Amino acid sequence: MTECGSYPVAIYIAGDIATAKQTCRQWCMERGDCVTIEPLDYIYTGGMETGVRVRWINYPKFPRSPGEILTRAKALAELLMVDMCQHSFSIETPETTYWRSRRETNS
């Protein structure tokens, strides 16, 4: 049995799951990666919207450092934000949650 240190990372973004799947398929094909995609409903004060969670695990057959996984997640999230016509996304790691917005004010 092969093992490596665990480092789950997830991207949270609103938008169309079909678009997210296509973007992730192309990303994985070009870069030799593997992610999972799950549909999510975001419920917040005054509203609701649908979106996805895109998730990595540290796959023992091809282990990566936590920094490399996070770097890949940030790059894919930027691409998803453009392809899915969104203004923001979040990335969750075991230690930190990052939020990125392309709007001028982050309020």
Side-chain angles (χ1 to χ4, degrees):
M1 182 175 290
T2 304
E3 63 181 61
C4 66
S6 184
Y7 195 74
V9 174
I11 299 167
Y12 295 87
I13 188 166
D16 177 57
I17 191 168
T19 302
K21 285 180 180 180
Q22 186 56 39
T23 298
C24 289
R25 285 175 57 113
Q26 185 172 351
W27 167 273
C28 290
M29 189 67 166
E30 292 173 358
R31 291 167 182 82
D33 224 327
C34 177
V35 299
T36 61
I37 300 177
E38 303 166 90
L40 291 179
D41 290 324
Y42 297 98
I43 299 169
Y44 48 85
T45 302
M48 178 183 147
E49 59 188 309
T50 61
V52 298
R53 174 174 44 205
V54 178
R55 203 163 173 263
W56 271 267
I57 62 166
N58 198 6
Y59 186 44
K61 186 173 181 183
F62 304 108
R64 293 196 169 109
S65 71
E68 187 176 3
I69 294 170
L70 180 57
T71 296
R72 286 174 171 259
K74 287 178 178 179
L76 177 55
E78 291 286 339
L79 185 60
L80 285 165
M81 184 169 59
V82 171
D83 287 356
M84 297 173 71
C85 302
Q86 296 298 309
H87 289 286
S88 65
F89 61 81
S90 296
I91 297 176
E92 179 185 40
T93 74
E95 300 88 22
T96 306
T97 299
Y98 303 88
W99 178 69
R100 160 90 163 89
S101 173
R102 55 182 171 172
R103 292 184 177 151
E104 287 187 31
T105 59
N106 292 337
S107 55

PDB file of all heavy atoms in Angstrom, residues 31-70:
ATOM      1  N   ARG A  31      -2.373  19.315 -18.048  1.00  0.00           N
ATOM      2  CA  ARG A  31      -1.405  19.417 -16.960  1.00  0.00           C
ATOM      3  C   ARG A  31      -1.183  18.116 -16.185  1.00  0.00           C
ATOM      4  O   ARG A  31      -0.441  18.098 -15.211  1.00  0.00           O
ATOM      5  CB  ARG A  31      -1.838  20.519 -15.993  1.00  0.00           C
ATOM      6  CG  ARG A  31      -1.718  21.885 -16.627  1.00  0.00           C
ATOM      7  CD  ARG A  31      -2.434  22.926 -15.802  1.00  0.00           C
ATOM      8  NE  ARG A  31      -2.374  24.248 -16.418  1.00  0.00           N
ATOM      9  CZ  ARG A  31      -3.187  24.657 -17.390  1.00  0.00           C
ATOM     10  NH1 ARG A  31      -4.121  23.857 -17.867  1.00  0.00           N
ATOM     11  NH2 ARG A  31      -3.068  25.867 -17.901  1.00  0.00           N
ATOM     12  N   GLY A  32      -1.874  17.049 -16.554  1.00  0.00           N
ATOM     13  CA  GLY A  32      -1.694  15.800 -15.827  1.00  0.00           C
ATOM     14  C   GLY A  32      -2.161  15.897 -14.392  1.00  0.00           C
ATOM     15  O   GLY A  32      -1.396  15.687 -13.466  1.00  0.00           O
ATOM     16  N   ASP A  33      -3.409  16.254 -14.216  1.00  0.00           N
ATOM     17  CA  ASP A  33      -3.957  16.445 -12.881  1.00  0.00           C
ATOM     18  C   ASP A  33      -5.226  15.623 -12.728  1.00  0.00           C
ATOM     19  O   ASP A  33      -5.705  15.012 -13.689  1.00  0.00           O
ATOM     20  CB  ASP A  33      -4.274  17.927 -12.652  1.00  0.00           C
ATOM     21  CG  ASP A  33      -3.821  18.409 -11.290  1.00  0.00           C
ATOM     22  OD1 ASP A  33      -3.854  17.614 -10.341  1.00  0.00           O
ATOM     23  OD2 ASP A  33      -3.439  19.581 -11.187  1.00  0.00           O
ATOM     24  N   CYS A  34      -5.788  15.601 -11.527  1.00  0.00           N
ATOM     25  CA  CYS A  34      -7.035  14.899 -11.253  1.00  0.00           C
ATOM     26  C   CYS A  34      -7.777  15.656 -10.160  1.00  0.00           C
ATOM     27  O   CYS A  34      -7.206  15.938  -9.100  1.00  0.00           O
ATOM     28  CB  CYS A  34      -6.750  13.471 -10.794  1.00  0.00           C
ATOM     29  SG  CYS A  34      -8.224  12.533 -10.352  1.00  0.00           S
ATOM     30  N   VAL A  35      -9.041  16.007 -10.433  1.00  0.00           N
ATOM     31  CA  VAL A  35      -9.870  16.709  -9.459  1.00  0.00           C
ATOM     32  C   VAL A  35     -11.242  16.059  -9.420  1.00  0.00           C
ATOM     33  O   VAL A  35     -11.605  15.301 -10.315  1.00  0.00           O
ATOM     34  CB  VAL A  35     -10.018  18.217  -9.796  1.00  0.00           C
ATOM     35  CG1 VAL A  35      -8.661  18.912  -9.787  1.00  0.00           C
ATOM     36  CG2 VAL A  35     -10.711  18.423 -11.125  1.00  0.00           C
ATOM     37  N   THR A  36     -11.994  16.360  -8.386  1.00  0.00           N
ATOM     38  CA  THR A  36     -13.401  15.970  -8.340  1.00  0.00           C
ATOM     39  C   THR A  36     -14.238  17.241  -8.399  1.00  0.00           C
ATOM     40  O   THR A  36     -13.779  18.317  -8.005  1.00  0.00           O
ATOM     41  CB  THR A  36     -13.747  15.206  -7.042  1.00  0.00           C
ATOM     42  OG1 THR A  36     -13.499  16.055  -5.919  1.00  0.00           O
ATOM     43  CG2 THR A  36     -12.932  13.932  -6.917  1.00  0.00           C
ATOM     44  N   ILE A  37     -15.472  17.107  -8.902  1.00  0.00           N
ATOM     45  CA  ILE A  37     -16.394  18.238  -8.963  1.00  0.00           C
ATOM     46  C   ILE A  37     -17.721  17.801  -8.368  1.00  0.00           C
ATOM     47  O   ILE A  37     -18.256  16.760  -8.739  1.00  0.00           O
ATOM     48  CB  ILE A  37     -16.626  18.717 -10.409  1.00  0.00           C
ATOM     49  CG1 ILE A  37     -15.316  19.156 -11.044  1.00  0.00           C
ATOM     50  CG2 ILE A  37     -17.633  19.863 -10.440  1.00  0.00           C
ATOM     51  CD1 ILE A  37     -15.464  19.579 -12.488  1.00  0.00           C
ATOM     52  N   GLU A  38     -18.243  18.626  -7.464  1.00  0.00           N
ATOM     53  CA  GLU A  38     -19.543  18.364  -6.849  1.00  0.00           C
ATOM     54  C   GLU A  38     -20.431  19.587  -6.999  1.00  0.00           C
ATOM     55  O   GLU A  38     -19.958  20.714  -6.830  1.00  0.00           O
ATOM     56  CB  GLU A  38     -19.373  18.099  -5.353  1.00  0.00           C
ATOM     57  CG  GLU A  38     -18.445  16.960  -5.020  1.00  0.00           C
ATOM     58  CD  GLU A  38     -18.087  16.995  -3.550  1.00  0.00           C
ATOM     59  OE1 GLU A  38     -18.833  16.365  -2.757  1.00  0.00           O
ATOM     60  OE2 GLU A  38     -17.096  17.657  -3.194  1.00  0.00           O
ATOM     61  N   PRO A  39     -21.723  19.388  -7.284  1.00  0.00           N
ATOM     62  CA  PRO A  39     -22.631  20.532  -7.306  1.00  0.00           C
ATOM     63  C   PRO A  39     -22.927  20.990  -5.881  1.00  0.00           C
ATOM     64  O   PRO A  39     -23.007  20.169  -4.963  1.00  0.00           O
ATOM     65  CB  PRO A  39     -23.888  19.971  -7.966  1.00  0.00           C
ATOM     66  CG  PRO A  39     -23.852  18.507  -7.677  1.00  0.00           C
ATOM     67  CD  PRO A  39     -22.392  18.133  -7.616  1.00  0.00           C
ATOM     68  N   LEU A  40     -23.074  22.299  -5.709  1.00  0.00           N
ATOM     69  CA  LEU A  40     -23.385  22.869  -4.394  1.00  0.00           C
ATOM     70  C   LEU A  40     -24.432  23.960  -4.543  1.00  0.00           C
ATOM     71  O   LEU A  40     -24.518  24.605  -5.582  1.00  0.00           O
ATOM     72  CB  LEU A  40     -22.140  23.512  -3.764  1.00  0.00           C
ATOM     73  CG  LEU A  40     -21.010  22.608  -3.319  1.00  0.00           C
ATOM     74  CD1 LEU A  40     -19.877  23.460  -2.763  1.00  0.00           C
ATOM     75  CD2 LEU A  40     -21.463  21.637  -2.256  1.00  0.00           C
ATOM     76  N   ASP A  41     -25.188  24.171  -3.485  1.00  0.00           N
ATOM     77  CA  ASP A  41     -26.070  25.324  -3.386  1.00  0.00           C
ATOM     78  C   ASP A  41     -25.481  26.237  -2.329  1.00  0.00           C
ATOM     79  O   ASP A  41     -25.198  25.807  -1.207  1.00  0.00           O
ATOM     80  CB  ASP A  41     -27.491  24.913  -2.967  1.00  0.00           C
ATOM     81  CG  ASP A  41     -28.217  24.155  -4.053  1.00  0.00           C
ATOM     82  OD1 ASP A  41     -28.019  24.475  -5.239  1.00  0.00           O
ATOM     83  OD2 ASP A  41     -28.996  23.239  -3.712  1.00  0.00           O
ATOM     84  N   TYR A  42     -25.286  27.491  -2.695  1.00  0.00           N
ATOM     85  CA  TYR A  42     -24.799  28.500  -1.759  1.00  0.00           C
ATOM     86  C   TYR A  42     -26.000  29.273  -1.240  1.00  0.00           C
ATOM     87  O   TYR A  42     -26.731  29.879  -2.012  1.00  0.00           O
ATOM     88  CB  TYR A  42     -23.809  29.445  -2.449  1.00  0.00           C
ATOM     89  CG  TYR A  42     -22.570  28.720  -2.924  1.00  0.00           C
ATOM     90  CD1 TYR A  42     -22.448  28.307  -4.241  1.00  0.00           C
ATOM     91  CD2 TYR A  42     -21.541  28.436  -2.040  1.00  0.00           C
ATOM     92  CE1 TYR A  42     -21.326  27.629  -4.680  1.00  0.00           C
ATOM     93  CE2 TYR A  42     -20.418  27.757  -2.468  1.00  0.00           C
ATOM     94  CZ  TYR A  42     -20.306  27.358  -3.792  1.00  0.00           C
ATOM     95  OH  TYR A  42     -19.192  26.687  -4.215  1.00  0.00           O
ATOM     96  N   ILE A  43     -26.204  29.221   0.047  1.00  0.00           N
ATOM     97  CA  ILE A  43     -27.327  29.917   0.676  1.00  0.00           C
ATOM     98  C   ILE A  43     -26.728  30.966   1.599  1.00  0.00           C
ATOM     99  O   ILE A  43     -25.896  30.661   2.450  1.00  0.00           O
ATOM    100  CB  ILE A  43     -28.215  28.932   1.461  1.00  0.00           C
ATOM    101  CG1 ILE A  43     -28.773  27.888   0.484  1.00  0.00           C
ATOM    102  CG2 ILE A  43     -29.324  29.674   2.197  1.00  0.00           C
ATOM    103  CD1 ILE A  43     -29.444  26.714   1.141  1.00  0.00           C
ATOM    104  N   TYR A  44     -27.137  32.199   1.405  1.00  0.00           N
ATOM    105  CA  TYR A  44     -26.584  33.309   2.156  1.00  0.00           C
ATOM    106  C   TYR A  44     -27.688  34.311   2.454  1.00  0.00           C
ATOM    107  O   TYR A  44     -28.795  34.194   1.939  1.00  0.00           O
ATOM    108  CB  TYR A  44     -25.441  33.980   1.375  1.00  0.00           C
ATOM    109  CG  TYR A  44     -25.783  34.282  -0.067  1.00  0.00           C
ATOM    110  CD1 TYR A  44     -26.449  35.451  -0.423  1.00  0.00           C
ATOM    111  CD2 TYR A  44     -25.473  33.372  -1.076  1.00  0.00           C
ATOM    112  CE1 TYR A  44     -26.779  35.719  -1.745  1.00  0.00           C
ATOM    113  CE2 TYR A  44     -25.794  33.629  -2.395  1.00  0.00           C
ATOM    114  CZ  TYR A  44     -26.438  34.806  -2.723  1.00  0.00           C
ATOM    115  OH  TYR A  44     -26.766  35.069  -4.028  1.00  0.00           O
ATOM    116  N   THR A  45     -27.390  35.285   3.291  1.00  0.00           N
ATOM    117  CA  THR A  45     -28.372  36.291   3.667  1.00  0.00           C
ATOM    118  C   THR A  45     -28.943  36.945   2.413  1.00  0.00           C
ATOM    119  O   THR A  45     -28.221  37.524   1.625  1.00  0.00           O
ATOM    120  CB  THR A  45     -27.728  37.370   4.564  1.00  0.00           C
ATOM    121  OG1 THR A  45     -27.184  36.728   5.702  1.00  0.00           O
ATOM    122  CG2 THR A  45     -28.759  38.408   4.989  1.00  0.00           C
ATOM    123  N   GLY A  46     -30.240  36.806   2.216  1.00  0.00           N
ATOM    124  CA  GLY A  46     -30.906  37.443   1.103  1.00  0.00           C
ATOM    125  C   GLY A  46     -30.829  36.721  -0.223  1.00  0.00           C
ATOM    126  O   GLY A  46     -31.226  37.277  -1.244  1.00  0.00           O
ATOM    127  N   GLY A  47     -30.335  35.491  -0.252  1.00  0.00           N
ATOM    128  CA  GLY A  47     -30.288  34.835  -1.545  1.00  0.00           C
ATOM    129  C   GLY A  47     -29.724  33.429  -1.552  1.00  0.00           C
ATOM    130  O   GLY A  47     -29.398  32.850  -0.517  1.00  0.00           O
ATOM    131  N   MET A  48     -29.637  32.912  -2.772  1.00  0.00           N
ATOM    132  CA  MET A  48     -29.130  31.563  -3.001  1.00  0.00           C
ATOM    133  C   MET A  48     -28.661  31.475  -4.440  1.00  0.00           C
ATOM    134  O   MET A  48     -29.217  32.111  -5.330  1.00  0.00           O
ATOM    135  CB  MET A  48     -30.237  30.540  -2.762  1.00  0.00           C
ATOM    136  CG  MET A  48     -29.831  29.117  -3.028  1.00  0.00           C
ATOM    137  SD  MET A  48     -31.270  28.035  -2.787  1.00  0.00           S
ATOM    138  CE  MET A  48     -30.893  26.814  -4.019  1.00  0.00           C
ATOM    139  N   GLU A  49     -27.604  30.712  -4.683  1.00  0.00           N
ATOM    140  CA  GLU A  49     -27.180  30.428  -6.049  1.00  0.00           C
ATOM    141  C   GLU A  49     -26.510  29.069  -6.087  1.00  0.00           C
ATOM    142  O   GLU A  49     -26.079  28.549  -5.067  1.00  0.00           O
ATOM    143  CB  GLU A  49     -26.268  31.524  -6.608  1.00  0.00           C
ATOM    144  CG  GLU A  49     -25.009  31.780  -5.835  1.00  0.00           C
ATOM    145  CD  GLU A  49     -24.284  33.011  -6.348  1.00  0.00           C
ATOM    146  OE1 GLU A  49     -24.054  33.124  -7.565  1.00  0.00           O
ATOM    147  OE2 GLU A  49     -23.945  33.869  -5.533  1.00  0.00           O
ATOM    148  N   THR A  50     -26.444  28.508  -7.277  1.00  0.00           N
ATOM    149  CA  THR A  50     -25.818  27.205  -7.436  1.00  0.00           C
ATOM    150  C   THR A  50     -24.370  27.387  -7.863  1.00  0.00           C
ATOM    151  O   THR A  50     -23.977  28.423  -8.392  1.00  0.00           O
ATOM    152  CB  THR A  50     -26.551  26.348  -8.487  1.00  0.00           C
ATOM    153  OG1 THR A  50     -26.502  27.023  -9.744  1.00  0.00           O
ATOM    154  CG2 THR A  50     -27.983  26.089  -8.085  1.00  0.00           C
ATOM    155  N   GLY A  51     -23.591  26.361  -7.627  1.00  0.00           N
ATOM    156  CA  GLY A  51     -22.186  26.396  -7.999  1.00  0.00           C
ATOM    157  C   GLY A  51     -21.566  25.035  -7.822  1.00  0.00           C
ATOM    158  O   GLY A  51     -22.260  24.012  -7.842  1.00  0.00           O
ATOM    159  N   VAL A  52     -20.252  25.029  -7.624  1.00  0.00           N
ATOM    160  CA  VAL A  52     -19.516  23.773  -7.523  1.00  0.00           C
ATOM    161  C   VAL A  52     -18.430  23.858  -6.458  1.00  0.00           C
ATOM    162  O   VAL A  52     -18.025  24.942  -6.051  1.00  0.00           O
ATOM    163  CB  VAL A  52     -18.856  23.392  -8.867  1.00  0.00           C
ATOM    164  CG1 VAL A  52     -19.899  23.170  -9.945  1.00  0.00           C
ATOM    165  CG2 VAL A  52     -17.835  24.422  -9.314  1.00  0.00           C
ATOM    166  N   ARG A  53     -17.977  22.668  -6.060  1.00  0.00           N
ATOM    167  CA  ARG A  53     -16.747  22.524  -5.289  1.00  0.00           C
ATOM    168  C   ARG A  53     -15.826  21.659  -6.132  1.00  0.00           C
ATOM    169  O   ARG A  53     -16.202  20.565  -6.552  1.00  0.00           O
ATOM    170  CB  ARG A  53     -17.010  21.860  -3.936  1.00  0.00           C
ATOM    171  CG  ARG A  53     -15.727  21.580  -3.178  1.00  0.00           C
ATOM    172  CD  ARG A  53     -15.930  21.065  -1.775  1.00  0.00           C
ATOM    173  NE  ARG A  53     -16.977  20.046  -1.724  1.00  0.00           N
ATOM    174  CZ  ARG A  53     -17.684  19.771  -0.629  1.00  0.00           C
ATOM    175  NH1 ARG A  53     -17.476  20.430   0.481  1.00  0.00           N
ATOM    176  NH2 ARG A  53     -18.596  18.839  -0.657  1.00  0.00           N
ATOM    177  N   VAL A  54     -14.630  22.152  -6.407  1.00  0.00           N
ATOM    178  CA  VAL A  54     -13.605  21.402  -7.139  1.00  0.00           C
ATOM    179  C   VAL A  54     -12.546  21.039  -6.116  1.00  0.00           C
ATOM    180  O   VAL A  54     -12.035  21.905  -5.406  1.00  0.00           O
ATOM    181  CB  VAL A  54     -12.992  22.252  -8.273  1.00  0.00           C
ATOM    182  CG1 VAL A  54     -11.897  21.475  -8.989  1.00  0.00           C
ATOM    183  CG2 VAL A  54     -14.067  22.704  -9.250  1.00  0.00           C
ATOM    184  N   ARG A  55     -12.213  19.752  -6.032  1.00  0.00           N
ATOM    185  CA  ARG A  55     -11.400  19.283  -4.914  1.00  0.00           C
ATOM    186  C   ARG A  55     -10.202  18.465  -5.363  1.00  0.00           C
ATOM    187  O   ARG A  55     -10.287  17.686  -6.304  1.00  0.00           O
ATOM    188  CB  ARG A  55     -12.298  18.424  -4.018  1.00  0.00           C
ATOM    189  CG  ARG A  55     -11.804  18.323  -2.634  1.00  0.00           C
ATOM    190  CD  ARG A  55     -12.885  17.846  -1.675  1.00  0.00           C
ATOM    191  NE  ARG A  55     -12.253  17.633  -0.407  1.00  0.00           N
ATOM    192  CZ  ARG A  55     -11.841  16.452   0.016  1.00  0.00           C
ATOM    193  NH1 ARG A  55     -12.055  15.373  -0.687  1.00  0.00           N
ATOM    194  NH2 ARG A  55     -11.224  16.353   1.162  1.00  0.00           N
ATOM    195  N   TRP A  56      -9.089  18.676  -4.697  1.00  0.00           N
ATOM    196  CA  TRP A  56      -7.892  17.859  -4.853  1.00  0.00           C
ATOM    197  C   TRP A  56      -7.664  17.060  -3.586  1.00  0.00           C
ATOM    198  O   TRP A  56      -7.969  17.524  -2.488  1.00  0.00           O
ATOM    199  CB  TRP A  56      -6.632  18.725  -4.954  1.00  0.00           C
ATOM    200  CG  TRP A  56      -6.226  19.177  -6.283  1.00  0.00           C
ATOM    201  CD1 TRP A  56      -5.341  18.565  -7.128  1.00  0.00           C
ATOM    202  CD2 TRP A  56      -6.610  20.376  -6.940  1.00  0.00           C
ATOM    203  NE1 TRP A  56      -5.186  19.315  -8.257  1.00  0.00           N
ATOM    204  CE2 TRP A  56      -5.959  20.436  -8.163  1.00  0.00           C
ATOM    205  CE3 TRP A  56      -7.479  21.412  -6.602  1.00  0.00           C
ATOM    206  CZ2 TRP A  56      -6.116  21.469  -9.052  1.00  0.00           C
ATOM    207  CZ3 TRP A  56      -7.655  22.450  -7.484  1.00  0.00           C
ATOM    208  CH2 TRP A  56      -6.974  22.476  -8.692  1.00  0.00           C
ATOM    209  N   ILE A  57      -7.067  15.886  -3.735  1.00  0.00           N
ATOM    210  CA  ILE A  57      -6.424  15.194  -2.620  1.00  0.00           C
ATOM    211  C   ILE A  57      -4.972  14.985  -3.036  1.00  0.00           C
ATOM    212  O   ILE A  57      -4.633  15.083  -4.220  1.00  0.00           O
ATOM    213  CB  ILE A  57      -7.101  13.846  -2.267  1.00  0.00           C
ATOM    214  CG1 ILE A  57      -7.019  12.871  -3.442  1.00  0.00           C
ATOM    215  CG2 ILE A  57      -8.532  14.049  -1.803  1.00  0.00           C
ATOM    216  CD1 ILE A  57      -7.358  11.432  -3.070  1.00  0.00           C
ATOM    217  N   ASN A  58      -4.117  14.712  -2.098  1.00  0.00           N
ATOM    218  CA  ASN A  58      -2.732  14.384  -2.434  1.00  0.00           C
ATOM    219  C   ASN A  58      -2.681  12.904  -2.788  1.00  0.00           C
ATOM    220  O   ASN A  58      -2.660  12.043  -1.925  1.00  0.00           O
ATOM    221  CB  ASN A  58      -1.802  14.715  -1.275  1.00  0.00           C
ATOM    222  CG  ASN A  58      -0.362  14.806  -1.733  1.00  0.00           C
ATOM    223  OD1 ASN A  58      -0.071  14.739  -2.917  1.00  0.00           O
ATOM    224  ND2 ASN A  58       0.533  14.978  -0.783  1.00  0.00           N
ATOM    225  N   TYR A  59      -2.720  12.617  -4.071  1.00  0.00           N
ATOM    226  CA  TYR A  59      -2.815  11.254  -4.592  1.00  0.00           C
ATOM    227  C   TYR A  59      -1.485  10.523  -4.416  1.00  0.00           C
ATOM    228  O   TYR A  59      -0.468  10.948  -4.978  1.00  0.00           O
ATOM    229  CB  TYR A  59      -3.206  11.345  -6.065  1.00  0.00           C
ATOM    230  CG  TYR A  59      -3.488  10.053  -6.770  1.00  0.00           C
ATOM    231  CD1 TYR A  59      -4.244   9.067  -6.190  1.00  0.00           C
ATOM    232  CD2 TYR A  59      -3.002   9.844  -8.059  1.00  0.00           C
ATOM    233  CE1 TYR A  59      -4.520   7.892  -6.852  1.00  0.00           C
ATOM    234  CE2 TYR A  59      -3.272   8.671  -8.735  1.00  0.00           C
ATOM    235  CZ  TYR A  59      -4.029   7.695  -8.128  1.00  0.00           C
ATOM    236  OH  TYR A  59      -4.290   6.535  -8.795  1.00  0.00           O
ATOM    237  N   PRO A  60      -1.428   9.434  -3.636  1.00  0.00           N
ATOM    238  CA  PRO A  60      -0.167   8.774  -3.328  1.00  0.00           C
ATOM    239  C   PRO A  60       0.615   8.257  -4.547  1.00  0.00           C
ATOM    240  O   PRO A  60       1.835   8.147  -4.475  1.00  0.00           O
ATOM    241  CB  PRO A  60      -0.580   7.614  -2.418  1.00  0.00           C
ATOM    242  CG  PRO A  60      -1.826   8.085  -1.763  1.00  0.00           C
ATOM    243  CD  PRO A  60      -2.537   8.873  -2.838  1.00  0.00           C
ATOM    244  N   LYS A  61      -0.053   7.941  -5.643  1.00  0.00           N
ATOM    245  CA  LYS A  61       0.676   7.465  -6.827  1.00  0.00           C
ATOM    246  C   LYS A  61       1.530   8.578  -7.428  1.00  0.00           C
ATOM    247  O   LYS A  61       2.595   8.332  -7.979  1.00  0.00           O
ATOM    248  CB  LYS A  61      -0.308   6.929  -7.867  1.00  0.00           C
ATOM    249  CG  LYS A  61       0.378   6.285  -9.048  1.00  0.00           C
ATOM    250  CD  LYS A  61      -0.619   5.616  -9.971  1.00  0.00           C
ATOM    251  CE  LYS A  61       0.096   4.960 -11.139  1.00  0.00           C
ATOM    252  NZ  LYS A  61      -0.852   4.375 -12.084  1.00  0.00           N
ATOM    253  N   PHE A  62       1.041   9.830  -7.331  1.00  0.00           N
ATOM    254  CA  PHE A  62       1.764  10.995  -7.844  1.00  0.00           C
ATOM    255  C   PHE A  62       1.734  12.100  -6.786  1.00  0.00           C
ATOM    256  O   PHE A  62       1.052  13.114  -6.951  1.00  0.00           O
ATOM    257  CB  PHE A  62       1.124  11.504  -9.142  1.00  0.00           C
ATOM    258  CG  PHE A  62       1.035  10.467 -10.218  1.00  0.00           C
ATOM    259  CD1 PHE A  62      -0.193   9.915 -10.569  1.00  0.00           C
ATOM    260  CD2 PHE A  62       2.173  10.036 -10.889  1.00  0.00           C
ATOM    261  CE1 PHE A  62      -0.284   8.952 -11.559  1.00  0.00           C
ATOM    262  CE2 PHE A  62       2.091   9.070 -11.890  1.00  0.00           C
ATOM    263  CZ  PHE A  62       0.862   8.528 -12.219  1.00  0.00           C
ATOM    264  N   PRO A  63       2.448  11.926  -5.679  1.00  0.00           N
ATOM    265  CA  PRO A  63       2.351  12.886  -4.577  1.00  0.00           C
ATOM    266  C   PRO A  63       2.918  14.257  -4.951  1.00  0.00           C
ATOM    267  O   PRO A  63       3.840  14.365  -5.765  1.00  0.00           O
ATOM    268  CB  PRO A  63       3.169  12.239  -3.461  1.00  0.00           C
ATOM    269  CG  PRO A  63       4.134  11.353  -4.171  1.00  0.00           C
ATOM    270  CD  PRO A  63       3.410  10.869  -5.399  1.00  0.00           C
ATOM    271  N   ARG A  64       2.329  15.279  -4.348  1.00  0.00           N
ATOM    272  CA  ARG A  64       2.778  16.658  -4.533  1.00  0.00           C
ATOM    273  C   ARG A  64       2.905  17.314  -3.163  1.00  0.00           C
ATOM    274  O   ARG A  64       2.251  16.910  -2.205  1.00  0.00           O
ATOM    275  CB  ARG A  64       1.777  17.431  -5.385  1.00  0.00           C
ATOM    276  CG  ARG A  64       1.712  16.930  -6.805  1.00  0.00           C
ATOM    277  CD  ARG A  64       1.024  17.952  -7.701  1.00  0.00           C
ATOM    278  NE  ARG A  64       1.191  17.580  -9.083  1.00  0.00           N
ATOM    279  CZ  ARG A  64       0.211  17.123  -9.855  1.00  0.00           C
ATOM    280  NH1 ARG A  64      -1.001  16.992  -9.373  1.00  0.00           N
ATOM    281  NH2 ARG A  64       0.454  16.804 -11.106  1.00  0.00           N
ATOM    282  N   SER A  65       3.677  18.362  -3.112  1.00  0.00           N
ATOM    283  CA  SER A  65       3.800  19.114  -1.867  1.00  0.00           C
ATOM    284  C   SER A  65       2.533  19.950  -1.669  1.00  0.00           C
ATOM    285  O   SER A  65       1.848  20.286  -2.648  1.00  0.00           O
ATOM    286  CB  SER A  65       5.023  20.032  -1.921  1.00  0.00           C
ATOM    287  OG  SER A  65       4.789  21.099  -2.831  1.00  0.00           O
ATOM    288  N   PRO A  66       2.218  20.318  -0.424  1.00  0.00           N
ATOM    289  CA  PRO A  66       1.074  21.207  -0.201  1.00  0.00           C
ATOM    290  C   PRO A  66       1.167  22.497  -1.011  1.00  0.00           C
ATOM    291  O   PRO A  66       0.179  22.966  -1.567  1.00  0.00           O
ATOM    292  CB  PRO A  66       1.121  21.480   1.307  1.00  0.00           C
ATOM    293  CG  PRO A  66       1.735  20.238   1.874  1.00  0.00           C
ATOM    294  CD  PRO A  66       2.783  19.844   0.861  1.00  0.00           C
ATOM    295  N   GLY A  67       2.359  23.063  -1.119  1.00  0.00           N
ATOM    296  CA  GLY A  67       2.531  24.287  -1.894  1.00  0.00           C
ATOM    297  C   GLY A  67       2.205  24.104  -3.363  1.00  0.00           C
ATOM    298  O   GLY A  67       1.597  24.977  -3.994  1.00  0.00           O
ATOM    299  N   GLU A  68       2.589  22.973  -3.921  1.00  0.00           N
ATOM    300  CA  GLU A  68       2.296  22.703  -5.331  1.00  0.00           C
ATOM    301  C   GLU A  68       0.798  22.505  -5.555  1.00  0.00           C
ATOM    302  O   GLU A  68       0.240  23.000  -6.539  1.00  0.00           O
ATOM    303  CB  GLU A  68       3.063  21.467  -5.803  1.00  0.00           C
ATOM    304  CG  GLU A  68       2.948  21.230  -7.289  1.00  0.00           C
ATOM    305  CD  GLU A  68       3.787  20.066  -7.788  1.00  0.00           C
ATOM    306  OE1 GLU A  68       4.435  19.377  -6.966  1.00  0.00           O
ATOM    307  OE2 GLU A  68       3.779  19.844  -9.006  1.00  0.00           O
ATOM    308  N   ILE A  69       0.139  21.811  -4.646  1.00  0.00           N
ATOM    309  CA  ILE A  69      -1.312  21.620  -4.761  1.00  0.00           C
ATOM    310  C   ILE A  69      -2.020  22.976  -4.687  1.00  0.00           C
ATOM    311  O   ILE A  69      -2.898  23.273  -5.499  1.00  0.00           O
ATOM    312  CB  ILE A  69      -1.832  20.659  -3.671  1.00  0.00           C
ATOM    313  CG1 ILE A  69      -1.261  19.247  -3.902  1.00  0.00           C
ATOM    314  CG2 ILE A  69      -3.358  20.619  -3.668  1.00  0.00           C
ATOM    315  CD1 ILE A  69      -1.516  18.291  -2.744  1.00  0.00           C
ATOM    316  N   LEU A  70      -1.629  23.823  -3.735  1.00  0.00           N
ATOM    317  CA  LEU A  70      -2.250  25.137  -3.595  1.00  0.00           C
ATOM    318  C   LEU A  70      -1.989  26.012  -4.821  1.00  0.00           C
ATOM    319  O   LEU A  70      -2.898  26.690  -5.309  1.00  0.00           O
ATOM    320  CB  LEU A  70      -1.757  25.831  -2.326  1.00  0.00           C
ATOM    321  CG  LEU A  70      -2.336  27.220  -2.063  1.00  0.00           C
ATOM    322  CD1 LEU A  70      -3.868  27.185  -2.001  1.00  0.00           C
ATOM    323  CD2 LEU A  70      -1.743  27.791  -0.779  1.00  0.00           C
TER     324      LEU A  70
END
